[in-house]
Amino acid sequence: MKFGSKSLAIGLLLVGLILVNYLASSVPVRVDATAESIYSLSDGTRRMLGKIEEPVAVDLYFSKDASGLPIAYKNYAARVQEMLRQYVRAARGKVTLNVINPRPDTPDEEKATAAGLTPQVAQQGGEQFFFGLIVTQADQQKTIAAFTPQREQFLEYDLSKLIHSVQQLDKRKLGLITSLPLQGTSPQEMQMMMMMRRQPQPSQTVMTELEQTFRIVTVESSANELPSDLDALMVVHPQGLSPKLQFAIDQFVLGGKPVFLALDPSSQHFKRQSNPQQMMMGGGAQNVTSDLPSLLGAYEISYDSQKVVGDLENATQVQTGGGNVARFPVWLSLAGRQSFNSKSMATAQLNSVMFIESGSVSQKAGGSLTFTPLVETSSQTGDMPSMMLQFAQPDDVAKQITPSGKKTIAALVTGKFKTAFPEGMPADTPPPAGSNEPKKEEKKSDAPALKESKGNSTLFVIADTDWLFDDYSVRKFNFFGQTAAQPINDNLAFAANTVEFLGGSQDLISIRGKGTSLRPFDVVRKMEAEAQKQYQSKLTELDNRLQQVQTKLSELQGKKGEGNRLVATPEMAKAIDDFQKQQAKMRGERREIRRALREDIDRLENRLLVLNLLATPLLVGVFGFWFYRNRKK
């Protein structure tokens, strides 16, 4: 009877554990204890989900039974499913989730292929597997062709962007104000150029890419207002903007609409069109520089339109007039994690970009706005007047740059902006004295001018415009009679990512990149880095000594006696023998450093292993002992 009671108690305990796990998974309450809240939805996502009007169906395709599937993809699939379940809970019935396992030669596999999902190949066995997403609302359908663990930090942004985009029936409108021929020859201008027997200019590839997502609305520099239905605004190398148009841009920013602003202290496009004789006379080239001092001053941004940035570490190799190759520090070839902001959707996935005679931007002291650098140079960076580049050679430019620290090429400015026109809309410029031009009647707006942003405003600013041209971003070639473009860097991706990020919902802009579920062992990394640093210094010292002896040996080989034989002095022989001993000692020190490194790491690993194995049993034992004593009392 006693044995039966214990068996019943154990059975009830197992049933209770199963019920507790079931209830815990059903209750819509989660505690995210990660440092960067990677398992929690941001406020922007929750606001976006709260605006859904018609139901959205989310179909996650994952071939979980595929052989040879990497463990990283299995873990990431569980991560994606858990994140999508949070979307379902937060949407309160407006989002439904279907997890589908598309086995080979089944209707599910055919649906995945028809929707545009891309099959991936397992590393072991070479079997194909699907891991993608299809989001549908009414007759609108969008997909993520293939998930990859490398983009885990932007998982929430990618999911929210997809759900938001499926609700957009029309293309978003992007206003464009520019003095550069980014859009090429218009149809109206093409007829005139054909009559003049001139070759029309094609659009730059960056505009072709943007036209796939946006409807581009051109705004002339002489205009006094912006179209009322723009979703975003792109201002590139502005020239001669009327005061009223600058006021319209200011109100556009304060109204919460995002602006892409590209300025340049030295535009290559206009430098090529300048008159050399005029430049030799000191007159300078027209339209080479661009600036909006009134707006930048109000937005707490410092920018000098007369100075270009030179980076001695990230200088681009160019061919000089004599056919030689030299490093040109004002042509920046930036690459690596240290150059790009890893937390921003626009720059985190970039590998390399090129800027041509760019300037720099910074935040004014005491500013209240949030200034986030997106692209930065190295610490070996200085600036110089742009006028000095007119006739300077690359070697001369490098000598004139004095490093003064990192410079910010591109930045994102967010927060509550103050207006650049506290007095309201500026009046029209009166006609010159003696002119018969009638005075324009001022058009008064019914809405009062904004003095401060309604909510959070967003401004992207970059101190270069040449990076948008094909000459510095793509390589064009003929492909079966059609002109194709192959990117030579990430300039196109940078432009498309930034404009698409800005042109999306304000809720999406508020989503930031998060960390990954793979937590690095920082302690071990620091130990390895410190040991590597010590090892590298020893290795450098050894290489220097080796170079010295090689130089001495070269001198010795030049001193040959009778019979063209090498004659070594006793001093040189002793020096060689001493070096060989030092070399053997150095190699021994190298082995000691490696051994000490491995011992420290292994010792730490063993301590953590024992702690992980014994922590849970010890805690359970302590609780059991405490419970036993209290029950006995």
Coordinates of all heavy atoms in Angstrom, one line a residue, residues 287-337:
N287 N 29.3 75.7 -59.0 CA 28.4 74.6 -58.5 C 29.2 73.4 -58.0 O 28.6 72.3 -57.8 CB 27.4 74.1 -59.6 CG 26.6 75.2 -60.1 OD1 26.2 76.2 -59.4 ND2 26.2 75.1 -61.4
V288 N 30.5 73.6 -57.7 CA 31.3 72.5 -57.2 C 30.9 72.2 -55.7 O 30.8 71.0 -55.3 CB 32.8 72.8 -57.3 CG1 33.6 71.8 -56.5 CG2 33.2 72.8 -58.7
T289 N 30.6 73.2 -55.0 CA 30.2 73.0 -53.6 C 28.7 73.1 -53.4 O 28.1 73.8 -54.1 CB 31.0 73.9 -52.6 OG1 30.5 75.3 -52.9 CG2 32.5 73.8 -52.9
S290 N 28.2 72.5 -52.3 CA 26.8 72.7 -52.0 C 26.6 72.8 -50.5 O 27.4 72.1 -49.7 CB 25.9 71.5 -52.5 OG 26.4 70.3 -52.1
D291 N 25.7 73.5 -50.0 CA 25.5 73.8 -48.6 C 24.1 74.3 -48.4 O 23.5 75.0 -49.3 CB 26.6 74.8 -48.1 CG 26.7 74.8 -46.6 OD1 25.9 74.1 -45.9 OD2 27.5 75.6 -46.1
L292 N 23.6 74.1 -47.2 CA 22.3 74.7 -46.7 C 22.5 75.1 -45.3 O 22.1 74.5 -44.3 CB 21.2 73.6 -46.8 CG 20.7 73.2 -48.2 CD1 19.6 72.1 -48.1 CD2 20.1 74.4 -49.0
P293 N 23.3 76.2 -45.2 CA 23.7 76.7 -43.8 C 22.5 77.0 -42.9 O 22.6 76.7 -41.7 CB 24.5 77.9 -44.1 CG 24.1 78.4 -45.5 CD 23.7 77.2 -46.2
S294 N 21.4 77.5 -43.4 CA 20.3 77.9 -42.5 C 19.7 76.6 -41.9 O 19.5 76.6 -40.7 CB 19.2 78.7 -43.3 OG 19.8 79.9 -43.8
L295 N 19.5 75.6 -42.7 CA 18.8 74.4 -42.2 C 19.8 73.6 -41.3 O 19.4 73.1 -40.2 CB 18.4 73.5 -43.4 CG 17.3 74.1 -44.3 CD1 17.0 73.1 -45.4 CD2 16.1 74.4 -43.5
L296 N 21.1 73.5 -41.7 CA 22.0 72.7 -40.9 C 22.3 73.4 -39.6 O 22.4 72.7 -38.6 CB 23.4 72.6 -41.7 CG 23.3 71.8 -43.0 CD1 24.7 71.7 -43.6 CD2 22.8 70.4 -42.8
G297 N 22.3 74.7 -39.6 CA 22.5 75.4 -38.3 C 21.4 75.2 -37.3 O 21.6 75.0 -36.1
A298 N 20.2 75.2 -37.8 CA 19.0 74.9 -36.9 C 19.0 73.5 -36.5 O 18.4 73.2 -35.4 CB 17.7 75.3 -37.7
Y299 N 19.5 72.6 -37.3 CA 19.5 71.1 -37.0 C 20.7 70.7 -36.2 O 21.0 69.4 -36.2 CB 19.2 70.3 -38.2 CG 18.0 70.7 -39.0 CD1 17.9 70.4 -40.4 CD2 16.9 71.4 -38.4 CE1 16.7 70.8 -41.1 CE2 15.8 71.7 -39.1 CZ 15.7 71.4 -40.4 OH 14.6 71.8 -41.1
E300 N 21.5 71.6 -35.7 CA 22.7 71.3 -34.9 C 23.8 70.5 -35.6 O 24.4 69.7 -35.0 CB 22.2 70.5 -33.6 CG 21.2 71.2 -32.8 CD 20.6 70.3 -31.7 OE1 21.1 69.1 -31.6 OE2 19.7 70.8 -30.9
I301 N 23.9 70.7 -36.9 CA 24.9 70.0 -37.7 C 26.0 71.0 -38.2 O 25.7 72.0 -38.7 CB 24.2 69.4 -39.0 CG1 23.2 68.4 -38.5 CG2 25.3 68.7 -39.8 CD1 22.4 67.8 -39.7
S302 N 27.2 70.6 -37.9 CA 28.4 71.3 -38.4 C 28.9 70.7 -39.7 O 29.1 69.5 -39.8 CB 29.5 71.3 -37.3 OG 29.1 72.0 -36.2
Y303 N 29.1 71.6 -40.7 CA 29.6 71.1 -42.0 C 30.3 72.3 -42.7 O 29.8 73.4 -42.7 CB 28.4 70.6 -42.8 CG 28.7 70.5 -44.3 CD1 29.5 69.5 -44.8 CD2 28.2 71.5 -45.2 CE1 29.8 69.4 -46.2 CE2 28.4 71.4 -46.6 CZ 29.2 70.4 -47.1 OH 29.5 70.3 -48.4
D304 N 31.5 72.0 -43.1 CA 32.3 73.1 -43.8 C 32.4 72.7 -45.3 O 33.0 71.7 -45.7 CB 33.7 73.1 -43.2 CG 34.5 74.4 -43.7 OD1 34.1 75.0 -44.7 OD2 35.5 74.8 -43.0
S305 N 31.7 73.5 -46.1 CA 31.7 73.2 -47.6 C 33.0 73.5 -48.3 O 33.1 73.3 -49.5 CB 30.5 74.0 -48.2 OG 30.8 75.4 -48.1
Q306 N 34.0 74.1 -47.6 CA 35.2 74.4 -48.2 C 36.4 73.4 -47.9 O 37.5 73.7 -48.2 CB 35.7 75.8 -47.8 CG 34.6 76.9 -48.1 CD 34.3 77.0 -49.6 OE1 35.2 76.9 -50.4 NE2 33.0 77.1 -49.9
K307 N 36.0 72.4 -47.1 CA 37.1 71.4 -46.7 C 36.7 70.0 -47.1 O 35.6 69.6 -47.0 CB 37.3 71.5 -45.2 CG 38.0 72.8 -44.8 CD 38.3 72.7 -43.3 CE 39.1 74.0 -42.9 NZ 39.5 74.0 -41.4
V308 N 37.7 69.3 -47.6 CA 37.5 67.9 -47.9 C 38.3 67.0 -46.9 O 39.3 67.5 -46.3 CB 38.0 67.6 -49.4 CG1 37.2 68.3 -50.4 CG2 39.5 67.9 -49.5
V309 N 37.9 65.8 -46.8 CA 38.5 64.8 -45.8 C 39.5 63.9 -46.5 O 39.3 63.4 -47.6 CB 37.4 64.0 -45.2 CG1 38.0 62.8 -44.4 CG2 36.6 64.9 -44.2
G310 N 40.6 63.7 -45.9 CA 41.7 62.8 -46.4 C 42.0 61.8 -45.3 O 42.3 62.1 -44.2
D311 N 41.9 60.5 -45.7 CA 42.2 59.4 -44.8 C 43.4 58.6 -45.3 O 43.4 58.0 -46.3 CB 41.0 58.5 -44.8 CG 41.1 57.4 -43.7 OD1 42.2 57.2 -43.2 OD2 40.1 56.8 -43.3
L312 N 44.5 58.7 -44.5 CA 45.8 58.1 -44.9 C 45.7 56.6 -44.9 O 46.4 55.9 -45.6 CB 46.9 58.6 -44.0 CG 47.2 60.1 -44.1 CD1 48.3 60.5 -43.1 CD2 47.5 60.6 -45.5
E313 N 44.8 56.1 -44.0 CA 44.7 54.6 -43.9 C 43.8 54.0 -45.0 O 44.0 52.9 -45.4 CB 44.2 54.3 -42.5 CG 44.1 52.8 -42.2 CD 43.7 52.5 -40.8 OE1 44.0 53.3 -39.9 OE2 43.0 51.4 -40.6
N314 N 42.7 54.7 -45.3 CA 41.8 54.2 -46.3 C 41.8 54.9 -47.6 O 40.8 55.0 -48.3 CB 40.3 54.3 -45.7 CG 40.1 53.5 -44.5 OD1 40.4 52.3 -44.5 ND2 39.7 54.1 -43.4
A315 N 43.0 55.3 -48.0 CA 43.2 55.9 -49.3 C 43.1 54.9 -50.5 O 43.4 53.8 -50.4 CB 44.6 56.6 -49.4
T316 N 42.5 55.4 -51.6 CA 42.3 54.6 -52.8 C 43.5 54.7 -53.7 O 44.1 55.8 -53.8 CB 41.0 55.1 -53.5 OG1 39.9 55.0 -52.7 CG2 40.8 54.2 -54.7
Q317 N 43.9 53.6 -54.2 CA 45.0 53.5 -55.2 C 44.5 54.0 -56.6 O 43.5 53.5 -57.1 CB 45.6 52.1 -55.3 CG 46.3 51.7 -54.1 CD 47.1 50.4 -54.3 OE1 46.8 49.7 -55.2 NE2 48.0 50.1 -53.4
V318 N 45.2 55.0 -57.1 CA 44.8 55.6 -58.4 C 46.1 55.6 -59.3 O 47.2 55.6 -58.8 CB 44.2 57.0 -58.3 CG1 43.0 57.0 -57.5 CG2 45.2 57.9 -57.6
Q319 N 45.9 55.7 -60.6 CA 47.0 55.8 -61.5 C 47.3 57.3 -61.8 O 46.4 58.1 -62.0 CB 46.6 55.1 -62.8 CG 46.7 53.6 -62.8 CD 46.7 53.0 -64.1 OE1 46.3 53.6 -65.1 NE2 47.0 51.7 -64.2
T320 N 48.6 57.6 -61.7 CA 49.0 59.0 -61.9 C 49.3 59.2 -63.4 O 49.2 58.3 -64.2 CB 50.2 59.3 -61.1 OG1 51.3 58.4 -61.5 CG2 49.9 59.1 -59.6
G321 N 49.6 60.4 -63.7 CA 49.9 60.7 -65.1 C 51.0 59.9 -65.7 O 51.0 59.5 -66.9
G322 N 52.0 59.5 -65.0 CA 53.1 58.8 -65.5 C 52.9 57.3 -65.5 O 53.8 56.5 -65.8
G323 N 51.7 56.8 -65.2 CA 51.4 55.4 -65.3 C 51.7 54.7 -63.9 O 51.4 53.5 -63.8
N324 N 52.2 55.5 -63.0 CA 52.4 54.9 -61.7 C 51.2 54.8 -60.8 O 50.2 55.5 -61.1 CB 53.5 55.7 -60.9 CG 54.8 55.7 -61.7 OD1 55.2 54.7 -62.3 ND2 55.5 56.9 -61.7
V325 N 51.2 54.0 -59.8 CA 50.1 53.8 -58.9 C 50.4 54.5 -57.6 O 51.5 54.3 -57.0 CB 49.8 52.3 -58.6 CG1 48.6 52.2 -57.6 CG2 49.4 51.7 -59.9
A326 N 49.5 55.4 -57.1 CA 49.7 56.1 -55.9 C 48.4 56.1 -55.0 O 47.3 55.9 -55.6 CB 50.1 57.6 -56.2
R327 N 48.6 56.2 -53.8 CA 47.4 56.3 -52.8 C 46.9 57.7 -52.8 O 47.7 58.6 -52.4 CB 47.9 55.8 -51.5 CG 48.2 54.3 -51.5 CD 48.8 53.8 -50.2 NE 48.0 54.1 -49.0 CZ 47.0 53.3 -48.6 NH1 46.7 52.1 -49.3 NH2 46.2 53.6 -47.6
F328 N 45.6 57.9 -53.0 CA 45.0 59.2 -53.1 C 44.1 59.3 -51.8 O 43.0 58.7 -51.8 CB 44.2 59.4 -54.4 CG 43.9 60.8 -54.7 CD1 44.8 61.8 -54.3 CD2 42.8 61.1 -55.5 CE1 44.5 63.1 -54.7 CE2 42.6 62.4 -55.8 CZ 43.4 63.4 -55.4
P329 N 44.5 60.0 -50.8 CA 43.8 59.9 -49.5 C 42.4 60.6 -49.5 O 41.6 60.4 -48.6 CB 44.7 60.6 -48.5 CG 45.6 61.4 -49.4 CD 45.7 60.7 -50.7
V330 N 42.1 61.5 -50.5 CA 40.8 62.1 -50.5 C 39.8 61.3 -51.3 O 38.6 61.7 -51.4 CB 40.9 63.6 -51.1 CG1 41.7 64.5 -50.2 CG2 41.5 63.5 -52.5
W331 N 40.2 60.2 -51.9 CA 39.3 59.2 -52.5 C 39.2 58.1 -51.4 O 40.2 57.3 -51.3 CB 39.8 58.7 -53.8 CG 39.6 59.7 -54.9 CD1 39.6 61.0 -54.9 CD2 39.3 59.4 -56.3 NE1 39.3 61.6 -56.1 CE2 39.2 60.6 -57.0 CE3 39.2 58.2 -57.0 CZ2 38.9 60.6 -58.4 CZ3 39.0 58.2 -58.4 CH2 38.8 59.5 -59.1
L332 N 38.2 58.0 -50.7 CA 38.1 57.1 -49.6 C 37.5 55.7 -50.0 O 36.4 55.7 -50.6 CB 37.2 57.7 -48.5 CG 37.5 59.1 -48.0 CD1 36.5 59.6 -47.0 CD2 38.9 59.2 -47.5
S333 N 38.2 54.7 -49.7 CA 37.7 53.3 -49.8 C 37.6 52.7 -48.4 O 38.5 52.2 -47.9 CB 38.7 52.5 -50.7 OG 38.7 52.9 -52.0
L334 N 36.4 52.8 -47.9 CA 36.1 52.4 -46.5 C 35.6 51.0 -46.5 O 34.8 50.6 -47.3 CB 35.1 53.3 -45.9 CG 35.5 54.8 -45.8 CD1 34.4 55.6 -45.2 CD2 36.8 55.0 -45.1
A335 N 36.2 50.2 -45.6 CA 35.8 48.8 -45.5 C 36.0 48.3 -44.0 O 36.7 48.9 -43.3 CB 36.6 47.9 -46.4
G336 N 35.3 47.3 -43.7 CA 35.4 46.7 -42.3 C 34.4 47.2 -41.3 O 33.7 48.2 -41.5
R337 N 34.3 46.5 -40.2 CA 33.3 46.9 -39.2 C 33.6 48.2 -38.6 O 32.7 48.9 -38.1 CB 33.4 45.8 -38.1 CG 32.9 44.4 -38.5 CD 32.9 43.4 -37.4 NE 32.4 42.1 -37.8 CZ 32.3 41.1 -36.9 NH1 32.6 41.3 -35.7 NH2 31.8 40.0 -37.4

